[in-house]
Amino acid sequence: FDTTNEFKLDQQPHGIAVTPDGEIVVVAEHFQIQVRRAHDGGIISSVPAMYEPSSISINSSNQDVAVGGAKDSKVHVYSFDGQKLIEKDVSLVHREAVTDVCYSPDGKYLAAGDQNRKVILYSSENYELAHQLEWGYHTARVNCLAWSPDSVHLASGSLDTAIIVWDAANPTKHFKLNSKHNLKLLFFSCN
């Protein structure tokens, strides 16, 4: 992915994801999702999204694309064939607007955060809940999510100024960092 290339978008972007090979950029814009070539920004395909996309992530293992919905409080999942996006028939409904989505690096999980202070973990194999526990220890909206490289720990950042590190292998475990802690830089990422 050449970081020197620039291209103009049709609408305000709310999220961006790059395929593992760095060849394709998928952009969640205000009312559409665009698939573009990374080297020149050329549009490959476009899908309308009246649910107002808030975030986007690509699964590195099967090329599924997850998009958070701000207006309808759902996570929309698309299959991606390298050219176009086709919405899958899955229903991932949250109580309030979905603020961020992030696939784990190994592709096994999809995490979604929302305005209702919740982080929900899905299995990306069937998009069912990965466990029955509620990860709702934030006191304000979840703003961002990021995975550790080993796909075991998920960090969530919130408007409450706290970072919570969750354990996907042991969902009853979590560690909360707040403004009282001397925070060191955590190396987590979302693809």
Side-chain angles (χ1 to χ4, degrees):
F1 183 62
D2 184 356
T3 58
T4 60
N5 290 337
E6 296 179 7
F7 49 87
K8 185 172 174 53
L9 298 171
D10 296 339
Q11 299 175 10
Q12 178 181 351
H14 292 267
I16 185 169
V18 180
T19 56
D21 62 9
E23 297 293 321
I24 295 176
V25 177
V26 185
V27 184
E29 296 180 3
H30 196 61
F31 287 113
Q32 71 180 352
I33 304 162
Q34 283 195 331
V35 178
R36 292 174 171 257
R37 291 186 303 271
H39 70 277
D40 66 358
I43 298 172
I44 298 171
S45 64
S46 184
V47 175
M50 299 315 291
Y51 52 84
E52 194 172 318
S54 62
S55 53
I56 192 165
S57 183
I58 297 176
N59 187 327
S60 61
S61 66
N62 66 7
Q63 301 289 333
D64 277 359
V65 175
V67 182
K71 277 190 169 182
D72 66 358
S73 303
K74 294 180 182 178
V75 177
H76 299 263
V77 180
Y78 297 83
S79 60
F80 178 58
D81 66 4
Q83 296 289 313
K84 61 183 184 240
L85 297 168
I86 300 166
E87 190 161 8
K88 291 186 169 194
D89 187 22
V90 278
S91 181
L92 307 178
V93 180
H94 288 239
R95 285 192 179 163
E96 291 189 32
V98 177
T99 53
D100 200 9
V101 292
C102 190
Y103 281 105
S104 60
D106 65 6
K108 290 182 181 179
Y109 298 109
L110 170 64
D114 62 34
Q115 276 189 311
N116 193 39
R117 312 171 344 267
K118 307 289 187 245
V119 175
I120 298 178
L121 190 64
Y122 301 99
S123 165
S124 62
E125 182 180 329
N126 55 13
Y127 293 102
E128 299 289 330
L129 293 175
H131 57 75
Q132 296 300 317
L133 298 174
E134 185 174 275
W135 284 354
Y137 293 98
H138 283 293
T139 59
R141 69 177 269 158
V142 175
N143 287 331
C144 56
L145 301 168
W147 284 94
S148 62
D150 63 4
S151 299
V152 173
H153 295 98
L154 173 70
S156 58
S158 169
L159 190 61
D160 64 10
T161 71
I163 297 171
I164 298 179
V165 180
W166 309 93
D167 188 334
N170 190 347
T172 61
K173 303 278 184 191
H174 70 277
F175 181 75
K176 187 172 185 176
L177 302 165
N178 56 36
S179 57
K180 295 175 188 163
H181 288 90
N182 181 10
L183 298 178
K184 293 184 179 181
L185 184 61
L186 298 173
F187 291 98
F188 288 76
S189 69
C190 187
N191 48 343

